Amino acid sequence: MTWLTDAVVGAGSPGSRLQIMGVVNVTPDSFSDGGRYLDVDDAIAHGFEMVADGADIVDIGGESTRPGAARVATTQELARVIPVIEALSAAGVRVSIDTMNADTARAAVAAGAAILNDVSGGLADERMAGVAAESGLPYIVSHWRGHSDKMSSRAQYTDAAHDVAGEVGARVDALLAQGVLPSQIVVDPGLGFSKNADHNWRILARLHELEALGFPVLVGASRKRFLGALLPEDAPMESRDLPTAVVSVLAAQAGAWGVRVHDVASTRLALDTLAAWQGGSDD
Ligand code: PMM
């Protein structure tokens, strides 16, 4: 993590502190919060709430990536995310744009987005590398094998932790060849994207293999189905926030750079508990 630039870490944040990225899906159909923040004012208010709860970054998305979700037209994606990005970034909030669409990414940067978050790692839209290179902003590159309609059938690995690290490494090399700088890159295992529960746990247990690529690692486990599998079948979505917060602590312990979560308060408290535990060994 020694090479981390201010651009990635954020001014004033010590490099060792896990970054909390709060999620605002301005969509009708995201699996965890779909429909709750479709109204622009609700989405903006939720972004501010997350900052008050301790988010370092607010991640704004206008296209659901849940299995089987339909693609969204660029005009619709822009109408959902741009007003939210403008309002939050004008107030000084560090905003990331969660999109696979280079046109949306470019418009989001113009509206004040400070981080590009592309779950396809540049595979869905080959122009994304150009937008990332031009902007010079941190670029989150996730492991991805195909759109929602294809992702389940592509969940085949010899060894998920090893294969994912290898495929992300190859993607990063391709992006660097297209002018993206190493200092911009953050990598993400893309939990749940062409991965079943066993794959996700294997990747998390061996996060060091992804970290060995030499880039900051973001973990997006929040409320995903593999955490739901630890709970009774009829448990409400919010009950997944406890296992999510535990994953946040374990990700911090494993050397991750950040976590992407829906409930910022529980992850903040869990990380404060970890910090207090660690503080107990200070003289
Ligand atoms: N997961 C989702 C959406 N965006 N971005 C990153 N970097 N990593 C993820 O794991 C990730 C993501 C899907 O979850 P959601 O529908 O709750 O946002």
Side-chain angles (χ1 to χ4, degrees):
M1 299 242 301
T2 47
W3 62 269
L4 275 182
T5 62
D6 276 354
V8 171
V9 173
S13 307
S16 59
R17 185 168 167 275
L18 194 76
Q19 296 290 291
I20 302 179
M21 175 187 271
V23 182
V24 181
N25 288 314
V26 195
T27 60
D29 55 345
S30 289
F31 74 94
S32 55
D33 60 355
R36 288 184 63 178
Y37 309 111
L38 193 52
D39 177 83
V40 165
D41 292 334
D42 290 347
I44 294 167
H46 189 51
F48 283 125
E49 227 171 64
M50 287 181 155
V51 172
D53 284 345
D56 301 287
I57 300 161
V58 176
D59 189 42
I60 314 289
E63 177 176 11
S64 168
T65 50
R66 71 182 296 162
R71 295 301 313 272
V72 164
T74 306
T75 45
Q76 189 166 33
E77 194 184 9
L78 289 173
R80 289 174 179 173
V81 299
I82 296 300
V84 183
I85 294 170
E86 279 174 350
L88 292 175
S89 57
V93 176
R94 197 146 188 258
V95 169
S96 62
I97 171 65
D98 185 351
T99 188
M100 295 183 268
N101 179 329
D103 294 323
T104 303
R106 190 177 284 111
V109 172
I115 299 176
L116 303 172
N117 177 24
D118 175 3
V119 295
S120 83
L123 283 172
D125 187 337
E126 60 185 17
R127 301 167 306 150
M128 191 65 93
V131 176
E134 255 167 54
S135 72
L137 294 174
Y139 180 27
I140 299 162
V141 178
S142 285
H143 179 261
W144 189 82
R145 285 183 168 181
H147 286 288
S148 306
D149 55 334
K150 302 187 188 78
M151 73 184 173
S152 307
S153 63
R154 295 183 180 172
Q156 318 273 350
Y157 299 87
T158 308
D159 173 342
H162 179 267
D163 297 354
V164 164
E167 288 173 34
V168 171
R171 198 79 281 283
V172 169
D173 288 345
L175 292 166
L176 299 181
Q178 290 172 278
V180 179
L181 299 176
S183 57
Q184 290 179 253
I185 305 275
V186 173
V187 294
D188 183 319
L191 298 174
F193 290 88
S194 297
K195 289 160 202 90
N196 63 30
D198 287 349
H199 299 141
N200 293 333
W201 288 121
R202 186 173 283 265
I203 290 163
L204 286 170
R206 285 163 49 204
L207 206 59
H208 55 91
E209 296 196 20
L210 195 57
E211 289 166 354
L213 295 174
F215 301 100
V217 172
L218 177 70
V219 172
S222 185
R223 295 186 179 175
K224 286 187 177 166
R225 196 184 311 165
F226 76 112
L227 298 182
L230 300 168
L231 293 155
E233 224 168 275
D234 57 351
M237 191 53 79
E238 287 71 20
S239 59
R240 298 184 185 182
D241 291 331
L242 174 55
T244 299
V246 174
V247 168
S248 295
V249 167
L250 295 171
Q253 292 278 58
W257 164 79
V259 286
R260 180 182 179 277
V261 297
H262 299 86
D263 184 59
V264 170
S266 54
T267 274
R268 174 85 281 151
L269 179 58
L271 292 173
D272 287 349
T273 309
L274 171 64
W277 175 298
Q278 290 169 334
S281 63
D282 290 348
D283 290 330

